Amino acid sequence: MDSTNQISARTRTHYPPLLSCCAVLLIGSAAPVFAAEPSNNSETASGEVEEVLVTARRREERAQDVPISITVLNSEAIRERNIESAQELSAVVPSMNASTSTVRGATSYTIRGQGATLGAGPGVVAYFAEVPLPQGNLGSVTQGGGPGLYYDLQNIQVLKGPQGTLFGRNTTGGAVLLEPQRPQDEFGGYLQTQFGNYDDREIEGAINTPLTPNLLLRVAGKYVTRDGFTHDVVTGQDYDDRNYGAARIGLLYKPNERIENYLLLNGIFSHDHGGSTVPIAINPTGRAVTLFPDGSYAANLAAQEARGPRDVSLSAPVVDREHLYSITDTFRFNINDSLTLKNILSYSRFQYLANQDSDASPLAILDTITPGNQWNTDTDNYSDEFQLQGNAQQGHLQWVAGAYVEYDKPVGVQTQWTAQFLGSPLVSPTGAVQSQEYKETRNSHALFVQGTYNLGGLAAALEGLNLTAGYRYTWDKRDNTTDAALPLQNFACTSFPGLFRPDCTLAVTQRSQAPTWTAGLDFKVTPDALVYAKYSRGYKTGGSNPTSIDPAALTFRPEYVEDVEVGLKSDWNWNGVRAQFNVDVFHDDYSDIQRTGAVFFAGKTGSATINAAQATIRGAEVEASLFPVESLQLLATYSYLDAQYDRFILGTTDLSNEPFAFAPRNKYSFTTRYSLPLSDQLGTFRASATYSHTDQWYIGVTSIEASAWVPGYSLIDVRAGLEGVAGRPLDITLFASNLANKEFRIGSTAYYNTLGYAQAVYGEPRMYGVQLNYRFGAR
């Protein structure tokens, strides 16, 4: 491990290469500068910029008019970058990190260093059609990063910072809004096929048709199959494959100009062989060595290093399965010109199963296997959001108020079997296998109100100066029951000696409630330059530790963040040369941080999530673009994060000098787009190339260890093709991702100081292929 990887976050430089430039631009923007992609815009055939409307404040607005940090990718940008997962999305979104531990399909989002916690809600919530996507039991799975969501989308909006005022679930880090294409009043659609290496075969399409003048239908679907890029040298099994299908039906009914009802049915299934894990380090005094004294783990590590990360030897039959079915009804009624009623009612069923080899070896040091046809997660989710939106004071005041309720309950038995140190000569086989059955019911209720007032309504001199204020109060309740037993001891309870299942149940209830708010000012310095400042408070619900050995640690409290942000959004035009520059700087006080680690009670050691820390997170984000000529577009993104613990006490251990997890210091991307009309027979040539870089980041959250660093990496993605071939609505595109075929990590687990080893998950190798896209009608 390079020595620089082990330097504490407190001792690293605090002066990012672009931060001083950003500060100058915030103070005075007389001279325009460009750096990043105007991700809320898209280039049309004529080179003009097409504005994209966003719903970050629950009403449609130009992204450049919204006084918050937001990255938006429209449908063309999503297709151009071939975004099909959270990992691909995070490459071009400042301050966003997508990581995975042992299940590639369960990738979770982190924004500004804030993400998911075991047993609690996620720090970043993904929404589909304005409805939060379901999460797994104990907060271990977030569906927003899974397959089958990123197709036929109108746009993806990434909101950074606390979003606890207007959105259904409170979050501290941000929100990801996936907006599907809605039915249109003209016939059209598309069909796209893709073929690539690893026998990649994909088909995607949509058809839009008016059934009557008042009833519009859109049907879309996608199917993907691809071989795995990692091979098991013992079993011959391929891991990291893809096999999923998805379908949507959207029905939009408009009986008149005042009433609109949008019904959306969505279904996703994914069945594959799961992701591979690779051992990267062993603790010579750790439990893996102590309990396997024959040196077998060390021998496996040496063999793995000789093979490289694409050939592994695992002990568990790795499987990854996900099912998601949902129905959402969005009703809108324009009561009059200044008042609108809106209601969003949704039901979803989420099923998830993951068999994992969490030690990445032929030994059963930590394997998770669920027997039969049972699920790790099987939940029904119901939610309803009622809104009133309006304007008053001759249009100077825009406001929204409403109520939100969500109820999530388990369906049937949910279980997980874990084998730990099975096969060790020093561990009894009957005590090495544990079965855990669990149920978690979640309830959330909230009332909210937010308004924006143009102070020009008070005095003409204040015209264009807007005051925004919002408030929300949330009540959360989580009921968790779990029983842990030993299957090879006739299901003897692990928590109640002498008892047997079904008498092993522990029940824990955790209640949380808190206010969240936002307040800010924004002002149009010129018609094309918006400056803003805002202060927000975010909240993430508490949770439970039903298997904690310490009775005092059965629950943990919510965590909070207070965010101050200042930003500039600007558009420029000099003699036909257009540019756009957006920048923000922020300061977050993060308190009662939930961290999972070892707890000690009555001479025993266990794990639990507790409110262990507080931290300061500050940084800057930049997005901009330049059109030097009509056919050429230059884009870039940049983010800088300085995240430090102010205090981190876990039990009797002071971890305040530990690096902050999931927070790469520097992250940037550069994109070049070029288009050239050739002829009516050949069409238009289009090409793009993206270079993205992510600094090293830390995966550990409870101990300082060198193997917990994920090294930084840089990737190159390219695309080139013809649009409108032979005057037809046919596009042919060649593409390659990870062009240099780099081996890079996207996650790992830090068990070096506990179980005595560390393992990692690697990103995809070079992927290349061809896409054919045929458009018909108005699409």
Side-chain angles (χ1 to χ4, degrees):
M1 176 67 63
D2 189 282
S3 60
T4 59
N5 287 354
Q6 304 176 46
I7 299 175
S8 166
R10 292 182 181 274
T11 63
R12 291 187 229 142
T13 177
H14 286 226
Y15 300 98
L18 294 184
L19 189 55
S20 58
C21 171
C22 297
V24 171
L25 284 162
L26 278 173
I27 297 170
S29 54
V33 179
F34 67 94
E37 173 186 2
S39 48
N40 60 301
N41 299 329
S42 67
E43 182 187 1
T44 63
S46 63
E48 294 299 318
V49 171
E50 174 191 0
E51 298 291 355
V52 174
L53 298 179
V54 299
T55 55
R57 294 194 289 184
R58 309 311 294 268
R59 63 178 186 267
E60 290 189 340
E61 303 174 274
R62 289 179 63 246
Q64 288 296 92
D65 294 334
V66 179
I68 66 172
S69 178
I70 176 173
T71 296
V72 187
L73 301 176
N74 68 5
S75 58
E76 290 303 312
I78 296 168
R79 186 171 69 91
E80 178 187 84
R81 287 172 171 80
N82 224 18
I83 292 175
E84 296 182 333
S85 69
Q87 191 69 40
E88 291 151 345
L89 175 64
S90 69
V92 292
V93 177
S95 294
M96 174 182 273
N97 187 41
S99 63
T100 184
S101 56
T102 55
V103 184
R104 190 177 298 272
T107 301
S108 61
Y109 302 106
T110 301
I111 295 178
R112 297 179 177 176
Q114 298 165 59
T117 305
L118 184 66
V124 178
V125 172
Y127 293 76
F128 184 77
E130 299 188 87
V131 175
L133 285 162
Q135 69 181 78
N137 281 290
L138 306 179
S140 58
V141 180
T142 52
Q143 220 285 328
L149 290 167
Y150 299 84
Y151 74 98
D152 198 42
L153 294 176
Q154 179 178 319
N155 59 57
I156 301 174
Q157 306 170 40
V158 181
L159 317 182
K160 299 151 207 164
Q163 304 296 324
T165 306
L166 288 181
F167 287 89
R169 286 212 200 113
N170 286 286
T171 56
T172 53
V176 179
L177 313 183
L178 306 174
E179 294 293 334
Q181 292 281 6
R182 287 163 62 97
Q184 304 297 318
D185 57 5
E186 295 182 78
F187 175 78
Y190 69 97
L191 179 65
Q192 176 176 291
T193 59
Q194 176 175 310
F195 303 94
N197 59 334
Y198 294 97
D199 201 21
D200 179 36
R201 290 164 290 167
E202 305 184 18
I203 184 167
E204 172 187 335
I207 184 168
N208 190 100
T209 183
L211 300 179
T212 71
N214 299 325
L215 187 61
L216 314 177
L217 173 68
R218 187 177 186 91
V219 179
K222 183 169 186 173
Y223 178 73
V224 173
T225 178
R226 190 197 69 192
D227 292 344
F229 54 78
T230 307
H231 181 73
D232 194 308
V233 297
V234 175
T235 66
Q237 181 66 65
D238 283 339
Y239 305 117
D240 301 306
D241 59 325
R242 285 185 177 181
N243 183 36
Y244 69 85
R248 293 181 202 140
I249 300 175
L251 200 61
L252 184 63
Y253 178 56
K254 293 183 176 181
N256 53 54
E257 293 182 356
R258 299 175 63 187
I259 295 176
E260 175 185 286
N261 194 83
Y262 176 39
L263 181 67
L264 178 65
L265 284 75
N266 183 45
I268 301 170
F269 81 89
S270 175
H271 288 192
D272 58 50
H273 297 131
S276 63
T277 53
V278 180
I280 57 173
I282 185 172
N283 185 340
T285 61
R287 296 178 69 190
V289 171
T290 303
L291 297 179
F292 288 93
D294 60 353
S296 51
Y297 193 91
N300 176 73
L301 177 61
Q304 183 64 64
E305 291 174 342
R307 289 192 300 262
R310 306 303 182 196
D311 291 292
V312 298
S313 176
L314 306 182
S315 57
V318 181
V319 172
D320 189 359
R321 295 177 184 170
E322 298 181 31
H323 295 168
L324 174 64
Y325 310 102
S326 66
I327 178 169
T328 300
D329 186 82
T330 303
F331 174 77
R332 184 191 297 268
F333 175 44
N334 296 324
I335 299 172
N336 53 46
D337 291 341
S338 58
L339 185 62
T340 298
L341 179 153
K342 183 178 179 181
N343 192 77
I344 307 169
L345 179 66
S346 180
Y347 163 77
S348 65
R349 174 81 176 270
F350 180 41
Q351 297 173 312
Y352 181 81
L353 167 66
N355 289 345
Q356 310 166 49
D357 186 333
S358 297
D359 57 84
S361 79
L363 307 174
I365 297 176
L366 184 59
D367 291 353
T368 302
I369 301 173
T370 300
N373 295 318
Q374 297 174 327
W375 297 94
N376 302 144
T377 291
D378 190 357
T379 64
D380 281 342
N381 180 278
Y382 306 84
S383 70
D384 187 64
E385 181 169 332
F386 175 82
Q387 298 178 14
L388 282 174
Q389 302 181 13
N391 64 80
Q393 301 291 313
Q394 290 78 48
H396 287 93
L397 175 64
Q398 303 282 336
W399 61 271
V400 57
Y404 176 80
V405 59
E406 181 178 357
Y407 176 62
D408 191 289
K409 71 178 185 68
V411 179
V413 174
Q414 300 166 107
T415 186
Q416 179 173 285
W417 287 34
T418 302
Q420 189 167 340
F421 295 107
L422 181 63
S424 166
L426 304 179
V427 176
S428 168
T430 61
V433 178
Q434 177 176 279
S435 166
Q436 183 179 357
E437 295 183 354
Y438 43 82
K439 294 182 179 180
E440 186 175 39
T441 301
R442 298 183 285 264
N443 293 273
S444 183
H445 306 79
L447 299 173
F448 62 91
V449 61
Q450 182 165 312
T452 298
Y453 185 69
N454 182 346
L455 298 178
L458 300 177
L462 299 177
E463 184 63 35
L465 178 63
N466 298 305
L467 170 66
T468 296
Y471 183 86
R472 184 187 191 98
Y473 203 92
T474 303
W475 298 264
D476 288 308
K477 180 184 176 185
R478 304 168 79 96
D479 294 306
N480 186 287
T481 61
T482 182
D483 65 44
L486 301 174
L488 301 183
Q489 293 184 19
N490 197 26
F491 290 95
C493 302
T494 60
S495 300
F496 301 100
L499 298 181
F500 299 84
R501 186 172 287 168
D503 298 320
C504 307
T505 301
L506 281 171
V508 180
T509 296
Q510 200 279 338
R511 290 181 172 87
S512 304
Q513 61 184 64
T516 52
W517 57 76
T518 188
L521 287 170
D522 64 88
F523 180 64
K524 279 287 187 75
V525 180
T526 71
D528 296 318
L530 173 75
V531 294
Y532 65 90
K534 73 180 186 72
Y535 164 64
S536 300
R537 185 193 199 229
Y539 144 84
K540 186 171 75 172
T541 179
S544 61
N545 300 303
T547 60
S548 172
I549 62 170
D550 184 355
L554 290 177
T555 64
F556 52 91
R557 304 184 308 275
E559 62 181 28
Y560 304 90
V561 64
E562 296 188 11
D563 170 76
V564 177
E565 184 175 314
V566 179
L568 163 73
K569 294 187 174 185
S570 59
D571 297 281
W572 307 85
N573 194 326
W574 310 274
N575 300 319
V577 177
R578 293 173 294 111
Q580 186 178 97
F581 181 81
N582 298 340
V583 61
D584 68 89
V585 295
F586 60 89
H587 180 104
D588 290 350
D589 290 323
Y590 193 14
S591 60
D592 282 330
I593 302 174
Q594 302 157 352
R595 289 291 185 250
T596 303
V599 296
F600 306 92
F601 182 78
K604 296 181 179 180
T605 302
S607 65
T609 299
I610 62 175
N611 300 91
Q614 57 189 42
T616 299
I617 304 173
R618 49 185 173 262
E621 298 156 341
V622 180
E623 299 186 55
S625 71
L626 175 72
F627 286 82
V629 295
E630 182 176 307
S631 59
L632 180 64
Q633 186 179 17
L634 307 175
L635 313 110
T637 68
Y638 173 75
S639 64
Y640 167 78
L641 283 178
D642 175 21
Q644 300 180 15
Y645 287 110
D646 302 317
R647 179 185 59 82
F648 187 3
I649 307 297
L650 195 64
T652 59
T653 305
D654 188 345
L655 298 169
S656 301
N657 289 322
E658 178 171 318
F660 200 90
F662 306 105
R665 178 144 304 213
N666 296 285
K667 187 172 180 288
Y668 49 85
S669 70
F670 300 97
T671 299
T672 300
R673 292 173 175 165
Y674 179 73
S675 62
L676 177 66
L678 298 176
S679 66
D680 292 341
Q681 289 72 34
L682 292 177
T684 298
F685 173 75
R686 293 191 183 274
S688 66
T690 297
Y691 172 88
S692 61
H693 172 82
T694 301
D695 272 1
Q696 65 172 3
W697 47 281
Y698 197 66
I699 198 78
V701 293
T702 58
S703 60
I704 300 176
E705 50 189 80
S707 59
W709 282 101
V710 174
Y713 57 89
S714 302
L715 300 175
I716 299 174
D717 302 333
V718 296
R719 292 173 65 88
L722 294 174
E723 183 178 287
V725 177
R728 303 285 185 181
L730 174 65
D731 308 330
I732 301 176
T733 305
L734 301 175
F735 67 89
S737 61
N738 188 9
L739 184 65
N741 200 28
K742 288 193 173 183
E743 295 178 352
F744 64 100
R745 289 191 232 156
I746 59 173
S748 63
T749 54
Y751 295 145
Y752 189 86
N753 291 336
T754 53
L755 297 179
Y757 66 89
Q759 55 84 36
V761 178
Y762 279 79
E764 294 184 347
R766 181 192 298 119
M767 295 290 177
Y768 57 86
V770 59
Q771 286 180 345
L772 291 87
N773 184 283
Y774 180 76
R775 296 163 276 115
F776 55 90
R779 182 173 176 175

